[in-house]
Amino acid sequence: MVDRINTNRIVSVRFQPVGKLYHFRTGELHDLQVGDYVIVGTSRGRELGEVVSFADKSEVNQNVTHKPIERRATPRELVLQRTWQRKELERMIECRAKASELGLSSIKIVRAEYSFDGSSLVYLYSSESEDKTDLSELTREMKREIRKTRIEFKQIGPRDVAKVLSGMGACGLEERCCSKFLTEFSPISIKMAKAQGISLNPQEITGMCGRLRCCLIYEYEQYVEARKHLPKLKKKVVTPRGVGKVVEVMPLKKAVMVLLEDDRRVEFYQHELQPYDELKKLQEKSDAPCDRHENGGCNCNREDKDK
């Protein structure tokens, strides 16, 4: 029973230093540890990756059949991988030169990636054209240059390009978030900037990739949750200093700035506020005479009511 449980354990494997995580079964490797390097079968063939964690059931799609890890990588394979990685820059430069010769000005070769044993070489490229670029001639030329190696071209988007190239972020950080710790890209929308009260100036919310900054999602949920308990802009509220209108919302402080009737701007915390509409309804309800009072069947004090 123990062996069966160990066989079905799921681990997260990464093929790049800050790459996407893929799930595999431990298979017969019962003593597998985080930090071990393993050989697995992928859509691109056999690859060498690092075990970074044991996945929880909540992180794994139970409807997917995960492939088992084939075996641990040998020390020789680890050295071999580094040897091929040293050739990647040279291959990228060669491919860029060949693309220029062929007049493929609409594409940019971003990176060359060898498999751990050198059996395949993948060129990552971006394209300025909306139409698919024909790279068949470039593929043939590179195959003439690099024999006995499977050549493949893979198009990537602007955010992936920024991740590969790395460099300083638009916010001034020495290394971009996507290159430093983001393993996957989350969907980002303009409503995330609006919810946080961030200026919609493109220069302030756009990253080096030309897309909305990934950091817009970091605190988005906290802002949404905090705003649920605060009055909206232009809403009338009752404060300890009188009635006023909300002119600024500060979700993380759980406070709002209120413009009072005497034109003073005062900051109040959530627990100091009362909704003006609810208070007004309560006042109207308390001032209105009841039907039983009008019909003479009410036990309330008429004199108090009239006051």
Side-chain angles (χ1 to χ4, degrees), residues 89-122:
L89 178 59
E90 179 185 349
R91 294 308 186 199
M92 181 190 71
I93 294 173
E94 290 174 353
C95 190
R96 283 183 177 181
K98 188 61 68 174
S100 179
E101 290 178 13
L102 296 173
L104 297 173
S105 57
S106 63
I107 70 165
K108 179 180 180 180
I109 307 300
V110 179
R111 184 172 180 171
E113 292 182 353
Y114 264 113
S115 60
F116 75 97
D117 57 359
S119 60
S120 67
L121 176 61
V122 177

Side-chain angles (χ1 to χ4, degrees), residues 91 118 142-151:
R91 294 308 186 199
M142 296 313 300
K143 284 183 177 179
R144 291 195 189 100
E145 296 284 338
I146 310 167
R147 299 181 181 278
K148 298 182 180 180
T149 300
R150 183 166 61 88
I151 304 294

Side-chain angles (χ1 to χ4, degrees), residues 19-32:
K20 184 179 177 180
L21 300 181
Y22 297 87
H23 295 127
F24 295 87
R25 286 191 293 111
T26 55
E28 301 301 325
L29 298 176
H30 307 320
D31 58 343
L32 200 65

Side-chain angles (χ1 to χ4, degrees), residues 284-298:
E284 291 175 353
K285 186 175 181 180
S286 63
D287 292 339
C290 63
D291 295 337
R292 293 178 63 191
H293 182 88
E294 294 296 331
N295 296 330
C298 180

Side-chain angles (χ1 to χ4, degrees), residues 49-50 58 78 85 89 161 163 165 197 202 204 217 297:
E50 179 187 6
S58 59
L78 293 174
Q85 285 175 342
L89 178 59
V161 172
K163 181 182 181 73
L165 297 180
E204 296 186 26
I217 201 174

